Amino acid sequence: MWDSETLFELVGLSDPRISRSGEWCAYVLSKPDLMGDKYDQTLVVRSLGSGEERFASKGYMPRFSPDSKHLSYVIPSDSTSKSELWVMDVLTGSSRRLLEVEWLVDALWSPRGDRLCLVTSRKRGDAHLYFEEDVPVWFNSKGFFDSEKTEFRVVDSTSGALLDRFEESAPLIPLITAAVWHGESLVYNTPSRENPFTNFTVHMRDGGDSRVLFQDVSYTAVDSDGRTLLLLGKPKKKNHAEHSYIYLWDGDKINGLTEKYRWNNAWAQPKLGGDGFVYYVSAEEGRLALNRVRLDGSTQERIAYDDCWVTLFDVSRTGRAVYIKETPTQPAELYLWDGGERRLTSYNTHLAVTLGFKPLNRLRYKGVGGLEIDGWYLKPQVETKDRSPLVVFIHGGPKGMYGYRFDFLGQLLAQKGYYVLYTNPRGSDGYDEEFAKRIMHRYGEEDFEDILNGVDELIKREGGVDPERMGVTGISGGGY
């Protein structure tokens, strides 16, 4: 038998990166420190040829230089708001401290590798005292904004000398790309304070001056090869439940690339591969699939489309991809795709095999009005003559999604003798846009009935569910 303490034996992986040459990868390893009430992080840099590894204790935010010879990364300093930017020589593993910076959010190498753009957040002096002069907006893991601003600093990548500095009176939105280099120009995105989820202005800065590329649009710039600018979102969204698709701007016109495939592409930032393809993640009926599509939109190819979630990825200019993937029975590991899939790490694999995590059972059923609804469930792993209790999970969002991911809590409850039910009621992601928009201004109505229909269907299908012992749990939108 295992218990909740087993959670702390699992290792977290994040921020996978691959060098442009496709020869090196980097990622961040996180292990829980129960006594210190924190996570210990280690930056791992690995040769994809020899398997040789380098490590940087406490390192995070790895970014390869364009020539693949250097890697910038961040080490937290003693101050809670400050951190140190370091640069590693990938071949030797030696590192040098470049500078100290406060509230660093991202570091971007210029195409020539001679500059770094540092994206930072400017806040009030007291981290525990918040002021809000604009429309208050709250985000997970961030809290309420305190009239913060976004600052961009361009520094020399060798000396750290400041070359350019400017700010925008707009907050940094989690999961939204702040800036990308477009040739020797910097393209950056600013959300509106009135509607920071769906309304953006895209700017270009060159020679110390900024100009507007696109104003009051619902897409942001997410990548560039110096000729083509990759955009994620939509020309104009009326509400946040609409899907995000991929578009290309060639300096003259904008062409849609993935609208015809109908799936939402917002779960991970798409990237240009340098091999004539755009790589991206799509939410598809409980999967987070990794795909690539030709720049002319003529061909789509599947990379990881098994019953899995690909949560983060990166791609080299040679078309090799590294990604973090998990399944219902396998916690996250790092994988390489080079025409075929190869697992690079096995931090959690032995534990998964030892504990014997169980696969999901599919539950397809009818919601209100006959609408097809997806659900999945776990059976109790305790033999009993009595019926077993049920715990129903409700996802957040409300445009969230359950599916083929690893869920420790669900596995633990099943191991303790519970049925566990996950459903994607109307309003969920992973289906066409109309499905996601069905609960606009109707939260907690038909979607709630869809969930109850799923409970009824499970009771009918599995005679061992005790209808007198049922509980419910959820997070964010699923918590109310």
Side-chain angles (χ1 to χ4, degrees):
M1 295 286 286
W2 45 280
D3 56 27
S4 58
E5 296 276 318
T6 308
L7 172 65
F8 303 107
E9 298 179 35
L10 295 173
V11 172
L13 292 89
S14 62
D15 210 354
R17 300 285 167 166
I18 188 169
S19 63
R20 288 196 175 191
S21 66
E23 298 174 318
W24 294 86
C25 74
Y27 58 94
V28 178
L29 197 64
S30 300
K31 296 182 178 180
D33 174 6
L34 287 180
M35 298 302 295
D37 191 25
K38 61 184 179 66
Y39 280 90
D40 291 328
Q41 291 185 318
T42 302
L43 172 64
V44 182
V45 184
R46 175 174 176 170
S47 167
L48 293 174
S50 66
E52 180 184 4
E53 293 181 327
R54 291 127 174 40
F55 304 93
S57 178
K58 299 182 180 181
Y60 66 98
M61 201 186 293
R63 302 290 185 266
F64 282 101
S65 63
D67 62 7
S68 304
K69 294 180 179 179
H70 299 91
L71 179 83
S72 66
Y73 63 95
V74 176
I75 298 288
S77 64
D78 294 335
S79 169
T80 57
S81 63
K82 292 184 178 180
S83 53
E84 298 175 348
L85 185 66
W86 288 68
V87 177
M88 176 189 293
D89 184 307
V90 175
L91 293 178
T92 66
S94 61
S95 295
R96 59 183 175 87
R97 180 182 180 275
L98 185 64
L99 50 82
E100 186 178 60
V101 62
E102 191 170 25
W103 302 115
L104 181 64
V105 176
D106 204 357
L108 313 166
W109 288 88
S110 67
R112 291 201 303 258
D114 58 337
R115 292 169 292 166
L116 280 160
C117 175
L118 308 182
V119 183
T120 63
S121 179
R122 291 195 61 190
K123 301 175 181 287
R124 304 288 180 113
D126 189 340
H128 302 288
L129 186 61
Y130 287 85
F131 300 86
E132 186 55 64
E133 298 170 350
D134 304 288
V135 176
V137 179
W138 182 90
F139 286 93
N140 284 342
S141 77
K142 193 175 180 74
F144 283 103
F145 290 140
D146 58 339
S147 301
E148 69 181 35
K149 297 180 179 180
T150 301
E151 184 179 69
F152 301 88
R153 275 185 269 180
V154 179
V155 301
D156 185 281
S157 61
T158 301
S159 66
L162 182 65
L163 304 175
D164 188 20
R165 182 175 185 170
F166 64 99
E167 68 178 32
E168 290 285 340
S169 297
L172 289 164
I173 307 299
L175 306 180
I176 298 295
T177 299
V180 296
W181 287 98
H182 184 57
E184 293 303 308
S185 301
L186 189 69
V187 175
Y188 61 97
N189 310 299
T190 57
S192 70
R193 287 191 177 268
E194 292 76 18
N195 199 340
F197 295 100
T198 59
N199 194 18
F200 304 92
T201 299
V202 182
H203 314 256
M204 179 178 286
R205 188 170 181 85
D206 191 13
D209 295 316
S210 297
R211 61 185 176 90
V212 173
L213 283 183
F214 312 111
Q215 191 164 18
D216 295 330
V217 294
S218 297
Y219 43 62
T220 57
V222 294
D223 199 10
S224 169
D225 60 7
R227 301 179 303 276
T228 301
L229 191 65
L230 198 63
L231 305 170
L232 176 64
K234 251 186 170 183
K236 196 64 179 176
K237 292 184 180 182
K238 295 181 180 179
N239 56 69
H240 66 273
E242 295 181 45
H243 283 0
S244 289
Y245 305 109
I246 300 169
Y247 301 83
L248 301 173
W249 180 64
D250 61 6
D252 179 28
K253 58 182 178 180
I254 295 174
N255 296 311
L257 198 60
T258 60
E259 288 177 328
K260 61 184 176 182
Y261 299 117
R262 81 186 181 97
W263 309 111
N264 188 24
N265 305 146
W267 287 73
Q269 302 297 319
K271 298 185 180 182
L272 289 157
D275 56 352
F277 286 90
V278 172
Y279 291 69
Y280 68 99
V281 167
S282 56
E284 305 184 29
E285 298 179 345
R287 300 178 186 87
L288 288 182
L290 179 60
N291 319 281
R292 67 177 188 171
V293 60
R294 288 194 179 276
L295 288 172
D296 61 7
S298 61
T299 305
Q300 182 196 46
E301 298 178 7
R302 301 293 197 179
I303 295 175
Y305 187 67
D306 48 329
D307 291 342
C308 69
W309 276 30
V310 174
T311 54
L312 296 165
F313 77 96
D314 195 21
V315 61
S316 72
R317 294 307 187 198
T318 60
R320 302 181 98 186
V322 292
Y323 50 95
I324 294 173
K325 187 178 87 168
E326 62 185 74
T327 73
T329 59
Q330 172 63 62
E333 298 288 1
L334 184 69
Y335 293 79
L336 169 69
W337 184 84
D338 189 15
E341 183 178 86
R342 174 162 63 97
R343 193 177 70 215
L344 296 177
T345 65
S346 55
Y347 295 109
N348 298 309
T349 302
H350 176 72
L351 183 65
V353 172
T354 301
L355 298 182
F357 298 129
K358 303 304 178 184
L360 293 172
N361 300 280
R362 184 77 178 271
L363 184 72
R364 185 81 168 171
Y365 64 95
K366 299 288 186 181
V368 176
L371 185 67
E372 290 285 335
I373 302 294
D374 272 332
W376 297 265
Y377 66 96
L378 292 167
K379 296 181 180 181
Q381 301 305 307
V382 175
E383 292 187 9
T384 176
K385 295 181 180 179
D386 300 323
R387 291 183 175 184
S388 299
L390 166 68
V391 175
V392 180
F393 279 66
I394 305 177
H395 64 63
K399 194 185 175 181
M401 181 180 78
Y402 280 130
Y404 300 103
R405 58 189 275 272
F406 176 74
D407 179 42
F408 178 84
L409 179 55
Q411 292 284 344
L412 177 62
L413 288 169
Q415 193 263 156
K416 296 292 186 182
Y418 291 82
Y419 279 95
V420 178
L421 175 63
Y422 310 93
T423 69
N424 283 344
R426 69 193 67 206
S428 300
D429 205 352
Y431 309 90
D432 62 33
E433 190 176 74
E434 288 306 309
F435 187 91
K437 292 163 59 177
R438 281 178 176 267
I439 62 169
M440 288 299 300
H441 311 295
R442 299 185 62 82
Y443 300 136
E445 297 186 31
E446 290 91 349
D447 52 335
F448 176 65
E449 296 296 331
D450 289 342
I451 295 170
L452 292 183
N453 282 15
V455 172
D456 292 340
E457 182 65 26
L458 180 59
I459 292 173
K460 285 192 296 184
R461 180 177 298 193
E462 294 287 335
V465 178
D466 186 349
E468 299 300 319
R469 291 191 294 161
M470 296 192 295
V472 63
T473 186
I475 60 169
S476 192
Y480 75 86

